Amino acid sequence: MAESRTSVSESPSRPSMRSRKTTPAEKDSARFDDAVAKKEERQETHNRRFDGSTIVWLLLCIGVIHKFDIIDAVRYDPRINRESLQLAAVLMAVSIAVAAYSIVFVHGVLGKDYLDHSPWAVPLASLSGLLGWGMFWVCMWPVWGWTSFFIIPCLFMGLLLGVTLIPL
């Protein structure tokens, strides 16, 4: 009793998937299914944004700003090194502008992968961000000294995670 072993694709009653043409309605249905799946994935990502560590970093950032009176110190304290503060602001603006270009324009508008389209963006944003971070330490050191090693990372993480809560 030898059984005939034919695969599903070799079966004469069933056409092969390669020879079958897709209709425009099937293509539209597939696009709709993809759009629904992407929307559900974005919703899941949005719900994961409000996890415990994000809330802790935001509260810590707000607490540091309030406790150390960051805003008034940066605006009025003569011990703040203004030149390094301005350089830090320019470097961080470059980092933010490159990130916005990569994420919003290249990925969002053009629909391309920013790593393939503009490979210079990540190193430039990283370098300017690290140099800006260092300049913030230089400008705040005369006011808070060793405490600035605690203040600046808290502000950075709080602002970084605060931006992730903006719905896109």
Side-chain angles (χ1 to χ4, degrees):
M1 285 198 168
E3 287 185 30
S4 143
R5 293 188 177 198
T6 60
S7 69
V8 174
S9 64
E10 295 173 8
S11 172
S13 64
R14 205 168 184 196
S16 132
M17 292 303 285
R18 292 182 187 166
S19 65
R20 186 170 176 258
K21 303 280 185 180
T22 57
T23 64
E26 289 174 331
K27 288 181 183 177
D28 289 340
S29 176
R31 286 185 193 136
F32 178 74
D33 291 342
D34 289 343
V36 169
K38 286 181 181 178
K39 183 177 180 181
E40 289 173 355
E41 182 180 329
R42 279 196 309 266
Q43 186 64 33
E44 288 177 14
T45 303
H46 181 69
N47 291 339
R48 281 184 273 151
R49 291 179 188 167
F50 292 101
D51 62 349
S53 64
T54 301
I55 302 300
V56 168
W57 278 112
L58 286 173
L59 291 175
L60 193 60
C61 178
I62 292 168
V64 164
I65 289 172
H66 179 67
K67 170 72 175 147
F68 292 99
D69 205 16
I70 301 288
I71 296 170
D72 285 339
V74 168
R75 288 176 65 193
Y76 302 118
D77 197 330
R79 295 175 293 174
I80 294 281
N81 187 343
R82 299 287 171 203
E83 292 81 20
S84 62
L85 178 65
Q86 292 168 350
L87 182 60
V90 168
L91 288 168
M92 294 307 270
V94 167
S95 181
I96 291 169
V98 169
Y101 165 78
S102 298
I103 295 167
V104 175
F105 181 70
V106 174
H107 184 70
V109 175
L110 297 179
K112 297 181 180 180
D113 184 18
Y114 61 88
L115 294 174
D116 294 333
H117 184 266
S118 48
W120 51 267
V122 173
L124 178 63
S126 301
L127 181 65
S128 64
L130 288 173
L131 289 174
W133 193 345
M135 288 292 103
F136 274 123
W137 264 319
V138 169
C139 78
M140 292 186 178
W141 182 267
V143 179
W144 291 291
W146 289 101
T147 313
S148 61
F149 286 112
F150 167 75
I151 293 171
I152 294 173
C154 289
L155 294 175
F156 175 75
M157 288 300 295
L159 294 174
L160 180 72
L161 292 172
V163 169
T164 64
L165 297 177
I166 298 171
L168 291 177

